Amino acid sequence: MLTAIFFVSSPVLRANEASNSDEIKYAEEIEKEEFKAGEMIIEHITDSYEWHIITIGHNHISIYLPVILYDQGKWIIFNSKHLHHGKDSYKGYHIAKEGFNAGKLVRRNEKGEEVRPDYDISITKNVLALFISAVLIIWIFISVANSYKRRRGQAPKGLQSMLEPLILFIRDDVAKASIGHKYERYTPYLLTLFFFIFFNNLFGIVPFFPGGANLTGNIGVTGVMAAFTFIITTISGNKNYWMHIVNMPGVPWWLKIPVPLMPIVELMGIFTKPFVLMVRLFANISAGHIIILGFVSLIFIFGNIHPVAGYGVSIVSVAFGIFMDLLELLVAFIQAYVFTILSALYFGMAIEEEH
Amino acid sequence: MQLINPGFGLVFWMTLIFLVVLFILKKYAWKPILASLKEREDSIENALKAAEEAKKEMAELKAKNEELLKKALEEKDALLAEARNIKDKIISEAREKANLEAKMIIENAREQIEMEKQATLGEIKNIIASYSIEIAEKVLREELSDKKKQKSYVEKLLKEIQLN
């Protein structure tokens, strides 16, 4: 959010300290444009090849991340600063401005159409955020595990006592309650899932580096986690689970023969469950960010009309922004919990015995 | 569209990183954490169970003690009652025995008295007989001398006897 304020403030505040000609050109370019809230918001909640940290005057401070492509049989690696404002393309690649691939690196094929490189495994903003959060999560939990080893049989202390209720909550009220007596096999996955989502939701709320990446509001990230849940559910599925899909007991026969209506619905259900998991988390987190950014945008929209209006609206916007941020804290927990408990329920369904 | 178009790179890195995080946490975090949580829960449960058992044992011990005390008291009462009975019995027996002995002594005494009386009576009879013979002898002798004298003598003798 703070980043947003600084970023969008560049057209409003005039300063003449641009470092290079590109910057000046870009600054003039956007100065001519009106403030577009939609574009700004989308830019903030989607992935990018650089990590824009702050803009002071006309100085953009960004981390330029490496672009790693494997295209047409060869590796292409370069710094994303070459794609920076004002340059059309580097090594034949540029960032698409519109269309399905908007914001992503593309090249022009023979027909002049924009196509994605074969494999684009660039370290983007979200990937870097992913690295940081992964390291942080591993560090936190290994240190907690060490304090468990050190303080054997004693009451928890410090970080350990802060995280223990959550660990117990996931183990007892999510895993044990939804899966049953075989819960121990799935507990590590569910714990990892919960804390991964929860911590990344929280990092997403923090508006400045190294937070601020909209990781759990990215459909790719939620999709991967949903896919893991799907894979584990499908692998764990026992005879009873598949029988329920192929031949649902307790359903009139004419729903199965001659038109296998129930099996089709059940078969679709296998895929809709993880799909819904993916969309729910992505939509909830993105929506929260969009609303907060929207409130911030209001300040600049009114500020463009008249500076006084901007100041006036800022009071209301900040108040609503704070409210939304607090709501986001709640959502961060709830969505992590919902993703985890639904995964646990699907595992429970997959290994449920006939009764 | 941008929002729902997942980047291949992000999916690739996410899969890799999530798996790495999952395996590292599983091995180095969840395993020791869950194990020590379980250990702690077990030890608490065991301690509670042991306390409950100790409580039960205490209660049992107390009940046993009480029973023992009760039994001892009963025994004491029984002993006392028995002692009292024995005492009464001894006393009554002694009294009976004494009575019997007394009776026997009295009987014996009576018998002896009877016997002595009989003996005395016999002796008296003998004495009377010998006196009678003597008297008769003397009478017979007097008769031989003087009839009057004889007569008075007999009378005198008789008077003498009466005096005896």
Side-chain angles (χ1 to χ4, degrees):
Chain A
M1 209 170 86
L2 201 68
T3 324
I5 294 168
F6 281 112
F7 182 78
V8 295
S9 63
S10 60
V12 181
L13 301 166
R14 293 186 63 128
N16 299 314
E17 46 198 74
S19 57
N20 59 50
S21 55
D22 289 344
E23 292 291 335
I24 296 166
K25 207 169 142 198
Y26 172 69
E28 280 168 354
E29 209 172 89
I30 54 171
E31 211 171 326
K32 276 175 223 152
E33 287 173 357
E34 259 186 69
F35 172 68
K36 284 178 182 154
E39 273 176 25
M40 186 278 282
I41 290 170
I42 290 294
E43 209 177 315
H44 274 85
I45 60 169
T46 50
D47 208 355
S48 71
Y49 290 93
E50 61 179 285
W51 196 325
H52 181 255
I53 295 170
I54 199 167
T55 296
I56 301 166
H58 282 171
N59 282 324
H60 298 281
I61 298 171
S62 298
I63 299 171
Y64 294 107
L65 301 161
V67 173
I68 305 166
L69 307 172
Y70 184 78
D71 197 21
Q72 293 165 313
K74 57 181 191 283
W75 289 97
I76 298 154
I77 298 167
F78 58 88
N79 191 318
S80 66
K81 78 177 175 198
H82 298 300
L83 300 164
H84 194 48
H85 316 296
K87 287 199 175 164
D88 277 344
S89 69
Y90 186 80
K91 290 187 178 179
Y93 297 97
H94 66 278
I95 296 170
K97 290 218 161 47
E98 52 210 6
F100 183 69
N101 288 324
K104 291 192 171 63
L105 212 56
V106 289
R107 65 175 162 82
R108 292 202 184 277
N109 65 4
E110 297 82 22
K111 292 174 200 158
E113 294 165 320
E114 288 182 331
V115 290
R116 294 274 287 142
D118 294 342
Y119 299 102
D120 176 0
I121 53 166
S122 307
I123 308 296
T124 57
K125 181 183 172 184
N126 279 347
V127 175
L128 182 60
L130 200 57
F131 279 132
I132 294 168
S133 68
V135 169
L136 210 62
I137 289 169
I138 289 171
W139 177 70
I140 287 171
F141 283 101
I142 287 185
S143 76
V144 167
N146 285 337
S147 52
Y148 270 103
K149 281 182 207 156
R150 208 172 40 245
R151 300 170 48 77
R152 214 176 191 90
Q154 285 174 279
K157 203 178 167 189
L159 194 63
Q160 188 192 2
S161 63
M162 195 173 90
L163 291 169
E164 187 175 301
L166 286 174
I167 295 170
L168 286 175
F169 171 68
I170 296 301
R171 192 196 65 180
D172 297 335
D173 295 326
V174 175
K176 213 184 270 182
S178 314
I179 299 173
H181 65 280
K182 281 181 187 162
Y183 73 96
E184 272 165 344
R185 261 180 74 195
Y186 301 95
T187 316
Y189 173 72
L190 293 171
L191 282 166
T192 309
L193 196 64
F194 176 79
F195 285 108
F196 192 88
I197 297 172
F198 185 43
F199 282 15
N200 278 311
N201 284 348
L202 292 178
F203 294 150
I205 301 172
V206 178
F208 40 80
F209 183 82
N214 184 26
L215 207 52
T216 43
N218 186 294
I219 203 158
V221 171
T222 61
V224 169
M225 290 186 288
F228 277 123
T229 295
F230 168 73
I231 291 166
I232 295 171
T233 312
T234 311
I235 290 172
S236 318
N238 59 11
K239 206 177 126 202
N240 190 37
Y241 172 71
W242 294 111
M243 270 307 285
H244 265 72
I245 289 162
V246 178
N247 185 13
M248 184 81 162
V251 171
W253 62 269
W254 45 267
L255 280 174
K256 300 171 197 166
I257 296 166
V259 184
L261 204 60
M262 276 311 285
I264 288 170
V265 169
E266 285 292 320
L267 208 63
M268 274 164 60
I270 298 177
F271 298 101
T272 52
K273 281 171 194 164
F275 182 78
V276 166
L277 277 184
M278 167 179 85
V279 173
R280 182 187 297 109
L281 182 58
F282 148 74
N284 268 288
I285 302 304
S286 287
H289 289 206
I290 288 170
I291 293 169
I292 293 171
L293 288 167
F295 280 128
V296 175
S297 301
L298 278 180
I299 301 172
F300 299 101
I301 291 168
F302 280 94
N304 272 354
I305 299 166
H306 195 278
V308 178
Y311 287 121
V313 168
S314 71
I315 299 164
V316 182
S317 280
V318 167
F320 275 100
I322 290 168
F323 170 73
M324 278 310 297
D325 260 335
L326 294 177
L327 200 67
E328 280 289 275
L329 284 177
L330 192 66
V331 169
F333 176 78
I334 290 172
Q335 288 306 320
Y337 166 64
V338 166
F339 200 110
T340 314
I341 198 164
L342 285 176
S343 295
L345 278 172
Y346 299 155
F347 301 158
M349 270 186 234
I351 62 162
E352 195 181 16
E353 293 296 332
E354 214 168 343
H355 41 235
Chain B
M1 280 315 260
Q2 222 174 327
L3 268 180
I4 53 160
N5 179 13
F8 170 80
L10 186 57
V11 170
F12 168 79
W13 288 112
M14 174 63 190
T15 311
L16 193 74
I17 291 169
F18 190 80
L19 281 175
V20 169
V21 170
L22 179 62
F23 283 112
I24 290 178
L25 287 187
K26 188 178 175 180
K27 192 157 181 210
Y28 298 107
W30 305 135
K31 218 170 134 189
I33 290 172
L34 292 172
S36 56
L37 277 176
K38 193 155 200 173
E39 194 186 290
R40 199 165 69 201
E41 273 159 21
D42 285 350
S43 81
I44 289 171
E45 202 171 322
N46 283 345
L48 284 177
K49 227 180 249 171
E52 192 67 29
E53 230 149 79
K55 212 169 140 193
K56 219 188 261 173
E57 236 160 75
M58 275 293 285
E60 243 165 60
L61 218 70
K62 210 177 152 193
K64 230 182 229 173
N65 275 350
E66 251 161 44
E67 209 172 313
L68 224 68
L69 198 71
K70 212 170 131 195
K71 233 183 219 169
L73 278 174
E74 266 170 21
E75 215 155 296
K76 187 197 86 179
D77 281 350
L79 273 175
L80 276 176
E82 207 175 336
R84 204 172 288 133
N85 276 350
I86 289 171
K87 182 193 88 180
D88 287 351
K89 211 168 147 194
I90 287 171
I91 288 171
S92 66
E93 257 172 29
R95 195 173 286 151
E96 234 164 75
K97 218 172 171 183
N99 276 347
L100 216 70
E101 219 142 290
K103 251 183 212 164
M104 244 158 78
I105 288 166
I106 289 166
E107 197 73 24
N108 275 355
R110 199 172 283 147
E111 259 170 39
Q112 221 154 328
I113 288 166
E114 191 69 25
M115 259 162 67
E116 250 154 66
K117 199 173 114 190
Q118 291 298 327
T120 314
L121 278 175
E123 220 159 292
I124 288 169
K125 270 178 194 164
N126 281 346
I127 290 168
I128 289 171
S130 62
Y131 272 129
S132 304
I133 292 165
E134 237 172 86
I135 292 164
E137 219 180 71
K138 277 174 184 168
V139 167
L140 282 171
R141 243 176 232 155
E142 277 294 316
E143 229 176 310
L144 290 167
S145 51
D146 186 14
K147 244 191 184 173
K148 236 181 159 176
K149 252 189 180 170
Q150 250 179 8
K151 210 180 172 181
S152 68
Y153 190 63
V154 168
E155 267 169 21
K156 193 189 127 200
L157 280 175
L158 275 173
K159 258 176 207 167
E160 260 170 37
I161 292 165
Q162 261 169 349
L163 278 172
N164 272 347

